[in-house]
Amino acid sequence: MDIYKEKLALIQKDAEQLLAYKTNQSTVVKAGPGSGKTTVITLKIMKLLTENINEPRGLACITYSKDSSKEFSKRLHNMGYQKRENVYLGTVHSFCISQVIIPYSKYYRGPETIFLDIISQTEKKKLFNDILIEKGIGEYDVRIEEMDTERSHSIIGHSNVFVNSNELVRDIASVYEKRLKELHKSDFIEIIKYSLTLIRKEEYVRKCLESKFPWILVDEYQDFGKPLHELILAFLKFTNIKIFAVGDPDQSIYGFNGAHPDYFFELYENFGLLPIELKTNYRSNQDIIDASTVALDIDDREYKAGNRTDEKAEFHFISCKQGLDDQYKYVTETIIPDCLNEDIPLDEICVLVKDKYVLNGLIQEMNYSSIPYHVSKFEFAKSDLVLWIKDCAYWLTENDSGLFEAISSYWIKLLQRKGGLLPNRIKQVEIKKLYTIIKQSIEHKNSFTNWLIHLIKKLNLEKIMSTIEDSKEELDYLTKLKKKAIEGEFETYNLNQFARLGRPDGQVSLSTRHSSKGLEYEVVIMIGMEKGVFPDYRIESIQEKVNEDRRLFFVCITRARRVCYLLMSNQYISRNGNPFTRYPSIFWKDLLKACEDNKFVTNRVTQNY
């Protein structure tokens, strides 16, 4: 509770944060980078549960990812939150399944049918590729993400946001959805669409949800796209549920998943919610803040630094001679040693790259240079089961006493999905067995491989997962994890190394640009700042996609507190061995001009060797 009071005291100094915390009406908060949005929404949850909402009623907090919901759970626990009934914290898909479809679909008599057998990613890709082959469409002409984006934007409801449609992709999506029903399967978009149908058509469903959840909070609203947007608009139109939505349209960078900043703007401007804007950045100095607005090509943002007010930023523009390899080497041989000489620790340095292929090349160079690193995005972040195994490892190695409650809760839910509801007496027996098994597994702490195999065997995990309906994908994740432990990248890990994956500990952070959102470092290094690379040459004539890449560049810059490095190479070698010239990205040029115009501390280096 001390942390709660400490955070509460801090927001008393920020009028916008305090207003968001205190408001008792539906509210939408536009929160710029470093503005403390996570603190605000966490404090809001605590206030609502301790002062406004009496049991047995609760609230729902919808997050963009499972990682985000785990982070919220941890923050709430640290603030003294005591677990209670009817408080939901998780993704929108899980909300729709657990809070809408499972409890209420049996009462619906409409023509629509929902199947809770969720198609796995492998099955979905095969179905999609089969449709492409039938229609004579090349596998690179339409991507599965484009189909899902089209499906998301095409949901009919109360939104007036217009997004361009593609007739070919729309036709593929129509065939896909028909085949999905024929297979008696569903996917996450269908789950939300069916939930919308129940909420819109069934007053009983609306009344039940309204009684259970007087408030629904949404974090990172700009990331969700139309399915979640229509769900929130349905609650606003048909129920008395209050909405507290937080997001930043300037950080809407997941267009390939159906996100679009206009959905946030529509909620902010057109549906009668109280609009609040958090303008103070407590992460970066003013030079970084001013430079980041140049990245957006917008001059009406009024963000100001809340800390480091007298500090100057540094911007370094590095032109390497040839290819990505020269950029990798400049990072490992020059930038990182320079940072260490300035007493900047490794875990305050982050390198941002275009995609996993560039990331793999950088990893090779980091290994060659013996520089410790970690990859920010955990590969298994979409798997509840693997995240649970990671929690078990962390609890065991770090003695995090508060974590076992969440570990045991997940285990009981798993057992009940397998065999039905358990009496309290049996629950306690199973929790005690789980505690003993995990505690005794410490004898395998020196080998993650041995620990994992031991845990799977003692808990009979593979058999349990194989008998639970809709758990094929989780079983696939478990198999993949086991393979990586036996003969892959985790083969040499001890238990502590696995437990701390995603937590930098004296290591440089490596991340793709898209995975960097939410991170912050003293030094941010951006690789691949050439024209045709960022933004990609395939979208240079599509203004909407260029604008999204501008927002992505904005996200990258605002990860930095003080220092930014931008790297490019003047020459590359084509696949047939011929050299060709590369030029700076438009983002590079815009930022360099702004730095020079504003007399920011700017360093330009051109390699000649």
Side-chain angles (χ1 to χ4, degrees):
M1 209 65 177
D2 288 342
I3 295 177
Y4 175 55
K5 291 178 180 177
E6 178 186 318
K7 296 290 185 183
L8 196 54
L10 285 175
I11 70 167
Q12 306 290 327
K13 304 172 185 177
D14 187 312
E16 289 86 8
Q17 286 186 350
L18 189 60
L19 177 59
Y21 170 77
K22 286 185 172 181
T23 177
N24 198 38
Q25 67 186 86
S26 288
T27 302
V28 56
V29 181
K30 191 194 310 185
S35 61
K37 71 165 185 65
T38 306
T39 296
V40 169
I41 197 170
T42 309
L43 288 172
K44 186 74 176 181
I45 292 171
M46 289 293 290
K47 181 179 188 296
L48 290 172
L49 292 177
T50 56
E51 299 179 18
N52 297 70
I53 302 171
N54 296 321
E55 293 187 86
R57 305 181 85 192
L59 58 74
C61 179
I62 296 174
T63 64
Y64 182 70
S65 67
K66 293 171 182 176
D67 268 355
S68 298
S69 64
K70 288 175 72 66
E71 178 62 25
F72 267 110
S73 296
K74 182 179 178 181
R75 284 173 178 255
L76 287 168
H77 173 77
N78 290 340
M79 286 188 182
Y81 166 69
Q82 299 295 316
K83 189 173 181 180
R84 59 188 253 191
E85 293 296 317
N86 296 328
V87 173
Y88 171 85
L89 181 60
T91 64
V92 63
H93 311 108
S94 179
F95 175 84
C96 288
I97 292 171
S98 65
Q99 306 299 319
V100 183
I101 294 175
I102 290 178
Y104 307 120
S105 61
K106 56 192 171 190
Y107 302 115
Y108 180 58
R109 296 293 177 262
E112 299 88 350
T113 303
I114 187 67
F115 303 102
L116 286 179
D117 186 2
I118 307 294
I119 192 168
S120 70
Q121 284 301 308
T122 302
E123 294 170 322
K124 183 171 183 175
K125 286 176 182 176
K126 183 180 185 308
L127 177 56
F128 175 75
N129 289 333
D130 288 345
I131 295 170
L132 293 187
I133 292 170
E134 289 174 19
K135 291 185 171 292
I137 300 169
E139 62 176 315
Y140 299 111
D141 293 336
V142 177
R143 294 179 297 114
I144 196 168
E145 293 86 359
E146 292 177 273
M147 178 189 73
D148 281 346
T149 296
E150 184 71 33
R151 294 172 61 214
S152 294
H153 290 316
S154 66
I155 293 174
I156 297 172
H158 298 96
S159 174
N160 292 315
V161 172
F162 173 77
V163 179
N164 288 322
S165 179
N166 182 305
E167 186 175 349
L168 173 63
V169 180
R170 189 167 64 246
D171 180 48
I172 293 170
S174 176
V175 176
Y176 168 82
E177 290 183 350
K178 181 181 177 183
R179 298 276 176 85
L180 200 60
K181 287 182 172 61
E182 290 171 354
L183 291 169
H184 288 190
K185 288 184 178 290
S186 187
D187 66 7
F188 292 134
I189 295 175
E190 290 300 302
I191 289 292
I192 300 179
K193 285 167 67 175
Y194 187 73
S195 298
L196 271 169
T197 298
L198 289 177
I199 291 165
R200 287 170 179 165
K201 293 188 176 182
E202 295 295 325
E203 183 181 13
Y204 172 73
V205 174
R206 297 195 295 271
K207 291 296 183 184
C208 288
L209 290 171
E210 188 179 300
S211 296
K212 190 174 185 180
F213 302 125
W215 282 82
I216 292 179
L217 301 90
V218 185
D219 184 40
E220 301 287 12
Y221 196 92
Q222 78 284 345
D223 290 341
F224 285 93
K226 196 172 185 182
L228 181 278
H229 185 54
E230 287 293 352
L231 196 67
I232 294 302
L233 297 188
F235 285 131
L236 287 170
K237 185 174 179 62
F238 298 121
T239 77
N240 292 316
I241 294 172
K242 293 179 181 178
I243 302 299
F244 188 85
V246 180
D248 181 7
D250 292 339
Q251 298 186 66
S252 178
I253 59 173
Y254 299 134
F256 52 85
N257 280 342
H260 197 289
D262 285 354
Y263 295 127
F264 181 93
F265 281 122
E266 184 176 50
L267 187 72
Y268 193 79
E269 297 168 357
N270 297 333
F271 286 90
L273 285 75
L274 175 66
I276 297 174
E277 185 171 6
L278 305 184
K279 297 180 180 179
T280 304
N281 184 325
Y282 295 98
R283 173 191 303 150
S284 308
N285 65 38
Q286 193 64 47
D287 290 352
I288 293 287
I289 294 168
D290 292 343
S292 69
T293 59
V294 172
L296 288 172
D297 199 23
I298 295 173
D299 60 4
D300 66 347
R301 301 297 186 264
E302 299 176 351
Y303 298 132
K304 61 183 183 295
N307 299 317
R308 311 175 79 136
T309 51
D310 298 325
E311 182 181 80
K312 304 298 291 182
E314 293 178 19
F315 297 90
H316 301 262
F317 297 82
I318 314 299
S319 299
C320 296
K321 185 176 181 182
Q322 188 177 87
L324 282 167
D325 285 345
D326 279 0
Q327 295 181 44
Y328 300 151
K329 289 176 183 176
Y330 195 89
V331 169
T332 59
E333 296 175 4
T334 302
I335 297 177
I336 293 176
D338 285 351
C339 288
L340 292 174
N341 288 335
E342 293 180 21
D343 293 326
I344 298 172
L346 291 177
D347 52 19
E348 281 292 346
I349 303 169
C350 180
V351 188
L352 303 180
V353 302
K354 178 181 180 179
D355 54 34
K356 63 181 181 180
Y357 303 106
V358 182
L359 187 61
N360 288 337
L362 177 60
I363 285 172
Q364 289 180 22
E365 179 63 30
M366 297 290 283
N367 286 330
Y368 177 78
S369 302
S370 299
I371 296 175
Y373 66 88
H374 91 109
V375 179
S376 295
K377 188 174 180 65
F378 183 47
E379 182 181 357
F380 296 91
K382 292 184 178 180
S383 169
D384 284 331
L385 179 62
V386 176
L387 290 175
W388 178 78
I389 291 171
K390 189 165 171 282
D391 280 347
C392 291
Y394 191 79
W395 173 68
L396 193 58
T397 57
E398 300 293 327
N399 294 315
D400 187 342
S401 58
L403 193 55
F404 186 73
E405 182 181 353
I407 290 171
S408 60
S409 176
Y410 178 85
W411 180 244
I412 294 300
K413 287 178 183 176
L414 212 58
L415 294 179
Q416 291 187 145
R417 285 178 64 194
K418 174 180 178 287
L421 290 174
L422 297 174
N424 286 334
R425 180 179 59 82
I426 301 299
K427 285 181 184 178
Q428 293 307 313
V429 170
E430 292 295 342
I431 290 172
K432 188 174 181 180
K433 283 168 56 179
L434 175 69
Y435 181 91
T436 303
I437 288 171
I438 298 176
K439 276 294 185 182
Q440 289 178 347
S441 71
I442 193 67
E443 64 186 73
H444 300 287
K445 66 180 181 179
N446 294 325
S447 167
F448 169 65
T449 304
N450 293 341
W451 179 83
L452 179 65
I453 292 171
H454 172 85
L455 192 73
I456 290 172
K457 180 180 179 182
K458 288 293 184 179
L459 294 177
N460 210 10
L461 260 184
E462 288 170 323
K463 185 175 181 180
I464 288 174
M465 298 310 296
S466 66
T467 57
I468 296 176
E469 188 179 358
D470 311 331
S471 288
K472 183 181 183 304
E473 194 160 17
E474 287 286 17
L475 186 58
D476 289 344
Y477 275 123
L478 181 61
T479 302
K480 186 177 179 182
L481 177 66
K482 191 174 175 182
K483 184 176 180 181
K484 282 182 174 287
I486 294 172
E487 57 184 15
E489 64 184 279
F490 302 148
E491 183 181 2
T492 59
Y493 275 37
N494 61 37
L495 188 57
N496 186 61
Q497 286 175 294
F498 177 76
R500 298 195 63 80
L501 277 172
R503 295 178 172 91
D505 184 11
Q507 301 163 302
V508 175
S509 294
L510 311 181
S511 174
T512 63
R513 296 167 190 151
H514 281 94
S515 296
S516 69
K517 200 145 72 68
L519 306 177
E520 56 180 79
Y521 301 90
E522 187 74 4
V523 179
V524 167
I525 304 162
M526 288 172 257
I527 282 178
M529 293 299 300
E530 297 91 1
K531 175 179 169 59
V533 176
F534 189 32
D536 190 278
Y537 69 93
R538 290 165 292 190
I539 67 164
E540 286 180 328
S541 62
I542 307 172
Q543 192 58 49
E544 188 169 307
K545 291 185 178 296
V546 172
N547 289 343
E548 181 167 74
D549 267 6
R550 278 197 175 278
R551 295 192 294 272
L552 180 57
F553 185 41
F554 171 78
V555 167
C556 292
I557 293 176
T558 54
R559 299 313 92 198
R561 299 193 189 99
R562 185 177 66 87
V563 184
C564 278
Y565 283 87
L566 281 70
L567 282 79
M568 63 158 291
S569 291
N570 294 316
Q571 189 180 79
Y572 278 75
I573 303 297
S574 67
R575 290 179 180 176
N576 58 16
N578 296 322
F580 64 95
T581 302
R582 283 283 196 191
Y583 300 96
S585 159
I586 185 174
F587 303 151
W588 166 299
K589 292 194 289 187
D590 287 350
L591 185 62
L592 177 59
K593 183 178 185 305
C595 288
E596 292 174 341
D597 290 348
N598 289 284
K599 295 183 171 52
F600 296 152
V601 177
T602 307
N603 178 37
R604 298 182 66 178
V605 174
T606 300
Q607 278 188 332
N608 294 313
Y609 56 86

